[in-house]
């Protein structure tokens, strides 16, 4: 399956999220500007728009100002698919280009949508290519992760802090609830994944402001390889942009949730420049496996940023009962395909990967250390 192909039929109902279906992406950014900052903001926007126009995959953007409240602005942009947008928004170039806007903006909210239907009067109602094939069926949950590295030698101390904090209240308001937080480590790399019902950005801001969370962040600050100052909005914004590990695909098997599911996170370091291809491969493998009756993986979420790929799975039974299913390489030739995309030196597994011994070794290496997996307390 290529990036321009889209899943149709019963399979699509299992896929709550995918950056790999080839559909165009509409990004909406709501902004509330400080009084008197309009001209400075316009200058910064002109500089940004001239740069983003040359980004591969960018189609167009618009800047709008509210007719009711002049401090409220809207930027919309259209992209050929989610992949070039995610690469752009998480890049160092993007961080530097949008930096001049930060002093102008009191608050922002970003929303991202696949284009499902559209009308084109000038083409007699014929829709352009790149539409999402059909509506995806979800569970009302948004998923996001952060990843960062800590100084070698500090791993156990960081794990202690990340496991020992008190859970914040789950309910933000009538529509938004923090459902689950899962933290894993692989060597000195930390992955923190959250599941939110409702407004993801609002929930993340709410959690970050809680005293118990702020205490944890302060405790791990001295151990981070990338310095930050969360009391400085600019420093915090840059850190969380660099740490973002977007969810690019989520699939759920048919039927009711089995009892006794266990959550695991698997780390797949990609060959340089092949991270997106590796994430796509794993996502398509999970799509194909979702309907298999003997597949123990009930849900799978693939997170990817550059060459860092993490696959978080909920599994019935022991993870190592069938390494092929657990790793997402069940089927003829699939282990060889993963071997082509995986940085073998980083995982320390000899070829050929399709031997049972090496699959078990890879699974043992990829399985991240669970630090905490919890549901916050209800209000």
């Amino acid at each position: 399956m290529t990036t321009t192909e889209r899943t149709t039929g019963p399979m699509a109902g299992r896929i709550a999220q995918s950056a790999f279906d080839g559909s165009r992406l509409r990004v909406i950014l709501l902004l509330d500007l400080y009084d008197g900052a309009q001209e400075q903001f316009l200058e910064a926007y002109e500089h940004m728009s001239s740069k983003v126009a040359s980004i591969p995959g960018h189609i167009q953007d618009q800047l709008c100002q509210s007719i009711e409240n002049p401090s409220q602005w809207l930027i919309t942009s259209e992209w050929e698919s989610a992949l070039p947008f995610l690469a752009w928004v998480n890049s160092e170039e993007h961080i530097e280009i949008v930096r001049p806007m930060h002093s102008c903006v009191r608050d922002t909210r970003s929303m991202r949508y696949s284009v499902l239907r559209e009308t084109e009067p000038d083409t007699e109602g014929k829709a352009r290519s790149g539409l999402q094939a059909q509506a995806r069926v979800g569970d009302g949950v948004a998923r996001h992760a952060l990843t960062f590295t800590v100084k070698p030698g500090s791993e156990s101390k960081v794990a202690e802090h990340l496991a020992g904090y008190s859970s914040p209240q789950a309910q933000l308001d009538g529509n938004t609830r923090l459902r689950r937080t899962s933290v894993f480590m692989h060597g000195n790399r930390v992955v923190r994944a959250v599941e939110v019902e409702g407004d993801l950005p609002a929930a993340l801001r709410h959690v970050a402001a809680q005293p118990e969370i702020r205490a944890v962040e302060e405790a791990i600050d001295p151990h981070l390889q990338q310095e930050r100052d969360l009391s400085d909005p600019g420093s915090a914004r840059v850190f969380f942009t660099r740490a973002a590990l977007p969810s690019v695909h989520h699939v759920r098997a048919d039927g009711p949730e089995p009892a006794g599911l266990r959550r695991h996170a698997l780390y797949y370091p990609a060959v340089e420049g092949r991270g997106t291809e590796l994430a796509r491969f794993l996502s398509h493998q999970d799509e194909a496996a979702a309907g298999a009756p003997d597949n123990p993986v009930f849900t799978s979420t693939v997170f990817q940023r550059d060459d860092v790929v993490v696959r978080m799975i909920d599994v019935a039974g022991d993870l190592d009962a069938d390494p092929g299913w657990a790793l997402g390489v069940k089927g003829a030739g699939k282990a060889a395909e993963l071997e082509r995309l995986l940085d073998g030196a980083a995982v320390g597994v000899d070829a050929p990967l399709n031997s049972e011994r090496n699959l078990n070794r890879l699974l043992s290496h990829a399985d991240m250390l669970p630090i905490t997996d919890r549901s916050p307390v209800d209000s």
Side-chain angles (χ1 to χ4, degrees):
M1 183 182 289
T2 65
T3 56
T4 58
E5 294 174 322
R6 293 178 297 281
T7 303
T8 59
M11 180 64 69
R14 305 185 186 115
I15 303 168
Q17 177 194 5
S18 181
F20 301 114
D21 65 0
S23 56
R24 280 182 283 119
L25 182 73
R26 174 76 65 182
V27 180
I28 301 170
L29 184 64
L30 301 173
L31 308 103
D32 184 18
L33 302 190
Y34 290 113
D35 294 340
Q38 284 82 355
E39 290 303 320
Q40 180 184 349
F41 173 77
L42 279 173
E43 182 178 346
Y45 171 79
E46 292 294 341
H47 175 68
M48 182 197 72
S49 62
S50 67
K51 296 291 186 181
V52 74
S54 63
I55 300 297
H58 175 263
I59 298 174
Q60 64 174 352
D61 57 63
Q62 290 182 323
L63 174 65
C64 309
Q65 185 177 20
S66 170
I67 61 174
E68 299 168 331
N69 184 344
S71 70
Q72 294 178 351
W73 294 64
L74 168 70
I75 298 176
T76 66
S77 61
E78 188 174 359
W79 298 77
E80 291 177 0
S81 73
L83 298 179
F85 168 75
L86 290 173
W88 156 247
V89 78
N90 292 319
S91 68
E92 290 296 319
E93 182 182 10
H94 178 263
I95 290 174
E96 293 305 317
I97 288 175
V98 301
R99 197 186 296 272
M101 288 186 172
H102 294 164
S103 61
C104 308
V105 178
R106 180 184 293 111
D107 191 26
T108 64
R109 183 184 179 191
S110 178
M111 295 171 285
R112 304 160 187 184
Y113 297 86
S114 293
V115 181
L116 183 64
R117 299 287 187 271
E118 65 180 1
T119 57
E120 293 267 346
D122 56 337
T123 58
E124 300 181 354
K126 295 181 180 179
R128 285 186 288 165
S129 62
L131 296 185
Q132 181 182 316
Q134 66 183 64
R136 289 188 287 268
V137 179
D139 52 5
V141 176
R143 296 167 174 85
H144 186 65
L146 298 174
T147 186
F148 50 86
T149 54
V150 299
K151 297 172 183 176
S154 67
E155 294 91 345
S156 60
K157 194 66 176 177
V158 170
E160 181 182 340
H161 289 307
L162 292 174
Y165 69 94
S166 300
S167 296
Q169 289 189 343
Q171 201 72 33
L172 173 58
D173 54 37
N175 300 314
T176 301
R177 181 176 182 273
L178 181 63
R179 192 171 84 164
R180 190 168 181 176
T181 300
S182 306
V183 182
F184 299 88
M185 292 185 71
H186 191 280
N188 70 329
R189 177 172 295 280
V190 177
V191 171
R192 303 167 74 176
V194 296
E195 296 180 357
V196 171
E197 297 174 6
D199 189 337
L200 175 63
L204 295 179
R205 288 194 295 268
H206 166 76
V207 170
Q210 300 309 299
E212 53 268 46
I213 301 301
R214 294 178 68 90
V216 173
E217 301 295 348
E218 291 175 2
I220 68 173
D221 272 348
H223 305 298
L224 301 183
Q225 285 194 314
Q226 176 192 330
E227 293 184 2
R228 67 181 185 182
D229 179 3
L230 296 184
S231 65
D232 173 25
S235 176
R237 188 180 292 110
V238 168
F239 173 82
F240 287 115
T241 299
R242 287 175 173 158
L245 186 65
S247 167
V248 294
H249 195 272
H250 176 77
V251 63
R252 179 186 187 276
D254 292 331
E257 180 175 314
L261 287 177
R262 296 180 181 178
R263 173 157 292 186
H264 297 264
L266 304 179
Y267 175 55
Y268 301 77
V271 171
E272 185 176 358
R274 310 298 286 275
T276 298
E277 189 177 354
L278 175 53
R280 183 190 296 116
F281 166 76
L282 293 171
S283 298
H284 291 165
Q285 283 292 105
D286 285 330
E287 285 182 24
D294 54 342
N295 177 21
V297 178
F298 183 68
T299 67
S300 171
T301 307
V302 177
F303 300 92
Q304 182 251 329
R305 179 197 180 94
D306 300 328
D307 296 327
V308 175
V309 180
V310 173
R311 179 168 160 264
M312 190 169 68
I313 55 178
D314 293 324
V315 180
D318 294 332
L319 183 68
D320 57 0
D322 191 323
W325 281 125
L327 287 165
V329 293
K330 196 71 171 180
K334 301 306 180 182
E337 181 70 6
L338 177 61
E339 184 180 327
R340 182 178 67 86
L341 300 170
L342 200 63
D343 185 347
V347 298
V349 177
D350 300 327
L353 191 55
N354 59 359
S355 73
E356 183 176 353
R357 172 176 173 270
N358 280 337
L359 279 179
N360 278 294
R361 285 183 60 192
L362 175 58
L363 179 60
S364 177
H365 186 279
D367 192 16
M368 301 184 73
L369 176 67
I371 303 302
T372 187
D373 183 35
R374 61 174 75 188
S375 298
V377 296
D378 289 316
S379 301

